């Protein structure tokens, strides 16, 4: 008798893939069989996690023949090629890339916000953009309390959001600079160590970046607010892990700070970290490898009508990627929206 799902991780050698392996085991996801897949470059490599050892396979359409669930974190290009092949073979895909997020046929899910939308999946479910997830974990409870009208956001995005190579680049640049050596750069167009780059993803004609537009488009889709207005500036900072977002939000109804704090405290997946008298506010070093996103600095905004200013920090490798993807798989399992192949 099969006692669990046959699960595959595509992109298992990457920054998100590593966290997917760890969290699947830590959260006791019902795995019958786990297979790790990546590009042809990684074929034959061995990955170990605690007492489990895996030979990495090259991901091909046939890889999905025997899989029930595939967690993809391999980038948009390969996802566009492989995810439909997986779905055709009866494997449910939860994808971390942007490939299918705005596809009308594909649910875009944060389980604490729109779990019911996952039911309509046709074999592919998308995990939202990491900064968008972190921002919405703070904004959605406030939206439920006061009705969100529009918001302005500036992100402070960790380098691990770019992938495993960017972590190495920051590390090498810091070492080079403290040893008075020349800085080498490959991942980012400018030095990232001891610097900030007001540039995440590619620039569009209107001057925004693609990443900035995700906050608007994905925010609208997830919260079901087609008229929501968002203006966002995405910034890369020399932090290894956990994104932060500064938000100024305007609501339909009058706001109260105490009610906003209550809304956050009562929302699963978010926690209040807001005690300025004791210098307590959410910081990346405290919200790395944490399930919850931290919300603080909540105050009435001095420039907006019915406005709140706030700050949120969350581990983009976890809630922004691997954890949210596994929570989607858990949701599918709990609701019976995925099945084990005979
Ligand atoms: N990092 C984050 O915080 C974050 C958050 C949300 C979403 N995401 C998304 O998640 C995806 C992965 O990000 P990452 O940060 O983990 O990147 P990464 O560290 O660069 O890892 C990329 C992974 O994709 C695999 N891959 C590349 N080309 C492939 C191919 N042709 N076939 C199969 N596998 C292939 C790589 O395998 P090889 O080692 O064999 O090259 C590697 O395992 C991206 O779409 C990214 O936008 C990332």
């Amino acid at each position: 008798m099969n006692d669990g799902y046959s699960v595959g991780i595509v992109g298992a050698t990457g920054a998100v893939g590593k966290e997917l392996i760890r969290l699947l085991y830590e959260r006791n996801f019902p795995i019958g069989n786990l297979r790790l897949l990546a590009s042809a470059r990684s074929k034959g490599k061995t990955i170990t996690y605690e007492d489990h050892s895996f030979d990495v396979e090259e991901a091909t359409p046939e890889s999905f023949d025997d899989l029930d669930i595939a967690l993809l974190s391999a980038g948009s290009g390969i996802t566009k090629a492989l995810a439909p092949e997986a779905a055709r073979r009866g494997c449910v895909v939860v994808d971390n890339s942007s490939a299918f997020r705005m596809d009308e046929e594909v649910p875009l899910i944060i389980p604490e916000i729109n779990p019911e939308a996952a039911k309509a999946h046709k074999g592919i479910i998308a995990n939202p953009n990491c900064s968008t997830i972190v921002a919405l974990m703070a904004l959605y409870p406030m939206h439920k309390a006061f009705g969100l009208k529009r918001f302005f956001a500036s992100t402070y995005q960790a380098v691990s959001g770019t992938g495993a190579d960017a972590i190495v680049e920051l590390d090498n640049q810091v070492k080079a600079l403290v040893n008075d050596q020349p800085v080498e750069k490959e991942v980012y167009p400018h030095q990232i160590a001891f610097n900030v780059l007001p540039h995440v993803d590619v620039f569009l004609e209107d001057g925004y970046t693609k990443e900035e537009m995700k906050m608007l488009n994905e925010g609208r889709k997830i919260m079901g607010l087609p008229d929501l207005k968002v203006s966002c500036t995405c910034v890369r900072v020399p932090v290894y892990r956990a994104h932060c977002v500064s938000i100024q939000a305007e609501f339909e109804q009058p706001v109260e700070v105490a009610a906003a704090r209550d809304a956050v405290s009562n929302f699963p997946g978010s926690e209040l970290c807001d005690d300025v008298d004791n210098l307590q506010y959410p910081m990346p070093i405290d919200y790395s490898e944490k399930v919850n996103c931290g919300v603080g600095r909540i105050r009435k905004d001095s420039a907006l009508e019915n406005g709140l200013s706030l700050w949120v920090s969350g581990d983009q490798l976890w809630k922004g990627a691997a954890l949210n993807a596994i929570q989607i798989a858990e949701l599918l399992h709990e609701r019976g929206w995925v099945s084990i192949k005979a």
Side-chain angles (χ1 to χ4, degrees), residues 243-262:
H243 288 357
C244 296
V245 191
S246 166
I247 299 170
Q248 290 71 47
E250 192 170 58
F251 298 88
E252 302 287 350
Q253 293 150 36
V255 293
E256 285 304 331
V257 170
R261 288 194 173 131
D262 281 350

Side-chain angles (χ1 to χ4, degrees), residues 9-18 20 37-43 45 47 56-60 72-79 82 95-99 101 127-131 133 158-167 201 211 214 236 240 242-243 315-322:
I9 297 176
V10 181
T13 53
V16 175
K18 201 171 141 196
L20 283 166
L37 305 109
S39 76
R41 294 179 291 276
S42 299
K43 192 177 169 185
K45 278 188 188 166
I47 292 181
V56 179
E57 304 168 44
E58 180 185 354
T60 64
L72 268 56
S73 62
S76 289
I78 190 67
T79 294
L82 287 181
D95 176 44
N96 278 291
S97 82
S98 59
R101 286 181 192 149
N127 211 45
N129 165 259
C130 46
S131 302
I133 296 182
V159 294
S160 54
T162 310
D165 292 351
I167 304 171
D201 211 333
E211 182 88 349
K214 292 171 191 169
R236 187 72 63 190
Y240 282 113
H243 288 357
D315 188 335
Q316 96 293 340
L317 283 171
W318 278 24
K319 188 58 190 166

Side-chain angles (χ1 to χ4, degrees), residues 63-302:
S63 307
F64 302 96
D65 281 339
D66 302 323
L67 293 177
D68 304 312
I69 300 172
L71 306 172
L72 268 56
S73 62
S76 289
I78 190 67
T79 294
K80 280 183 187 151
L82 287 181
E85 293 288 348
R88 201 169 295 138
R89 289 166 163 82
C91 170
V92 179
V93 168
V94 182
D95 176 44
N96 278 291
S97 82
S98 59
F100 292 100
R101 286 181 192 149
M102 296 314 297
D103 187 320
E104 282 179 11
E105 301 274 286
V106 174
L108 182 65
I109 302 294
I110 300 176
E112 294 87 344
I113 297 179
N114 61 341
E116 291 302 325
K119 188 178 182 182
H121 80 79
K122 296 185 169 69
I124 304 175
I125 296 177
N127 211 45
N129 165 259
C130 46
S131 302
T132 305
I133 296 182
V134 171
L136 296 196
M137 290 304 288
L139 275 174
Y140 187 72
M142 297 184 194
H143 163 61
K144 294 308 275 179
F146 313 117
L148 186 59
K149 206 165 142 189
R150 60 174 177 155
F151 70 92
F152 304 88
S154 295
T155 69
Y156 299 65
Q157 299 185 218
V159 294
S160 54
T162 310
D165 292 351
I167 304 171
V168 175
E169 180 147 308
L170 175 58
D171 218 20
N172 288 344
Q173 289 185 356
V174 169
K175 281 181 194 144
L177 286 160
V178 297
N179 290 302
D180 225 4
Q181 297 295 312
V183 162
E184 289 178 14
K185 48 184 195 297
E186 281 178 23
V187 176
Y188 297 116
H190 304 284
Q191 175 186 318
I192 183 64
F194 309 112
N195 198 10
V196 295
L197 312 182
H199 170 194
V200 177
D201 211 333
V202 296
F203 283 99
L204 303 170
E205 268 185 18
D206 62 3
Y208 282 95
T209 67
K210 228 171 143 183
E211 182 88 349
E212 290 161 356
M213 296 314 292
K214 292 171 191 169
M215 190 75 83
L216 167 71
N217 295 325
E218 296 183 23
R220 284 179 171 177
K221 179 168 174 177
I222 296 161
M223 294 191 287
L225 295 173
D227 300 323
L228 180 70
K229 300 227 177 337
V230 179
S231 178
C232 181
T233 301
C234 287
V235 182
R236 187 72 63 190
V237 295
V239 164
Y240 282 113
R241 186 165 173 154
H243 288 357
C244 296
V245 191
S246 166
I247 299 170
Q248 290 71 47
E250 192 170 58
F251 298 88
E252 302 287 350
Q253 293 150 36
V255 293
E256 285 304 331
V257 170
R261 288 194 173 131
D262 281 350
V264 169
S265 298
N266 294 325
F267 188 65
S270 294
E271 64 186 35
L272 196 65
C273 174
D274 196 13
D275 181 3
V276 290
D277 291 342
N278 291 301
L279 308 185
Q280 295 301 303
Y281 29 72
M283 294 182 289
I285 51 171
D286 295 326
Y287 281 91
S288 295
E289 299 182 59
K290 286 275 166 61
V291 167
N292 285 346
C293 295
V295 186
R297 300 292 322 275
I298 302 174
R299 59 210 189 271
K300 279 199 177 173
D301 189 88
S302 57

